[in-house]
Amino acid sequence: MKRTVFFLWMSVGLLAGCLPALGQNPAPAIVPAPTPAPVDSTRQVRSAADTIPAFNGPTIRIGNSELTAEGDSLVRAADTVLVTRGQQDRMHKIIPKQATIRSLILPGLGQAYNRQYYKIPFIYAGFGVMGYLFVRYRGLAKQAEDGYRLLLYGDESSGTAQKVEEVVIGTQIVRSSQTAKAYYDLFRRYRDLNTLLSVVLWGVNAVEANVAAHLKTFDLSDDISMRLEPAVIPMPGTGLVPGVRVALTFK
């Protein structure tokens, strides 16, 4: 009985000592972070990567381009950089087929298309020589033909055939119809040969324009490379033999 009373007394004492502490606000163990201030979402901080300056004028120049204001945005205007004659020549796209067709239509036109004007005088000089020789040998062949007829049949211009002892062919005096016939065949062959050479020169002119156009468009950049690769080479009588292969890469 005494023990029960003692425990009750101790319980009441402890309860009385804790009542004043329950009336106070205890300090929290973890202090919360302060609540951030509200931010207006309509105001955005401008990106650091955006380096276009703000302006109020009609245009602004950045590098070689001009920017114009259109509403609230910037629109790139047409590039006003002038291109030099050398840059125009480098931008000239050469098509070998076009150069060949132009040369077949008119000699020298393909060379002009390739911008190789210095070749045109040589082409027409060749045609001039061929034309001169053609006219000359055609005239000599006509003289030899007339001389052959005069020596063989005589002069019939007066109505009666008069015998002719000699004729002049070029700078040569001919007294035989057989000799006149030989001169005629010789000069005729030279005349026909110049006609054939003129046709050949026309074809060479077209081929040259095509080759020059291909050389102008040939890729000489660093993309062309060569490398060595191991390979197995079949050899007759010995079978497969290890070797080295050279590989050229054209890009």
Side-chain angles (χ1 to χ4, degrees), residues 43-216:
R43 293 184 178 181
Q44 298 293 336
V45 180
R46 193 170 186 175
S47 175
D50 188 4
T51 58
I52 300 178
F55 66 100
N56 297 324
T59 60
I60 184 173
R61 190 172 186 84
I62 299 178
N64 294 329
S65 303
E66 290 185 358
L67 300 178
T68 60
E70 182 177 341
D72 297 333
S73 61
L74 294 177
V75 179
R76 180 174 179 174
D79 197 352
T80 58
V81 180
L82 297 178
V83 181
T84 63
R85 180 61 181 273
Q87 291 174 338
Q88 289 180 352
D89 293 339
R90 287 192 292 271
M91 290 187 297
H92 175 64
K93 180 63 176 177
I94 296 177
I95 303 175
K97 183 179 179 180
Q98 291 291 334
T100 307
I101 294 176
R102 291 167 186 252
S103 292
L104 290 175
I105 295 174
L106 180 65
L109 195 60
Q111 283 72 18
Y113 175 77
N114 294 336
R115 306 294 174 87
Q116 296 177 334
Y117 304 103
Y118 64 91
K119 297 180 179 180
I120 299 178
F122 295 98
I123 295 174
Y124 281 96
F127 280 108
V129 171
M130 298 300 172
Y132 167 76
L133 293 177
F134 174 80
V135 173
R136 175 176 174 78
Y137 287 121
R138 185 182 64 177
L140 291 174
K142 187 68 171 63
Q143 289 183 10
E145 181 182 4
D146 294 340
Y148 172 75
R149 290 178 179 177
L150 289 175
L151 292 173
L152 188 60
Y153 302 109
D155 187 5
E156 299 177 350
S157 59
S158 59
T160 59
Q162 296 179 0
K163 186 177 181 181
V164 178
E165 297 293 337
E166 61 183 24
V167 294
V168 178
I169 301 176
T171 59
Q172 303 294 325
I173 298 176
V174 180
R175 297 182 175 87
S176 172
S177 60
Q178 289 79 7
T179 305
K181 179 66 167 59
Y183 273 116
Y184 170 74
D185 294 337
L186 177 65
F187 294 144
R188 187 186 61 181
R189 284 197 298 269
Y190 284 162
R191 179 199 62 189
D192 297 342
L193 178 62
N194 280 276
T195 304
L196 179 61
L197 290 178
S198 299
V199 176
V200 171
L201 181 59
W202 198 304
V204 170
N205 147 75
V207 172
E208 194 280 332
N210 182 275
V211 173
H214 277 290
L215 292 178
K216 274 184 169 289

Side-chain angles (χ1 to χ4, degrees), residues 21 24-32:
Q24 299 178 358
N25 295 327
I30 300 176
V31 180

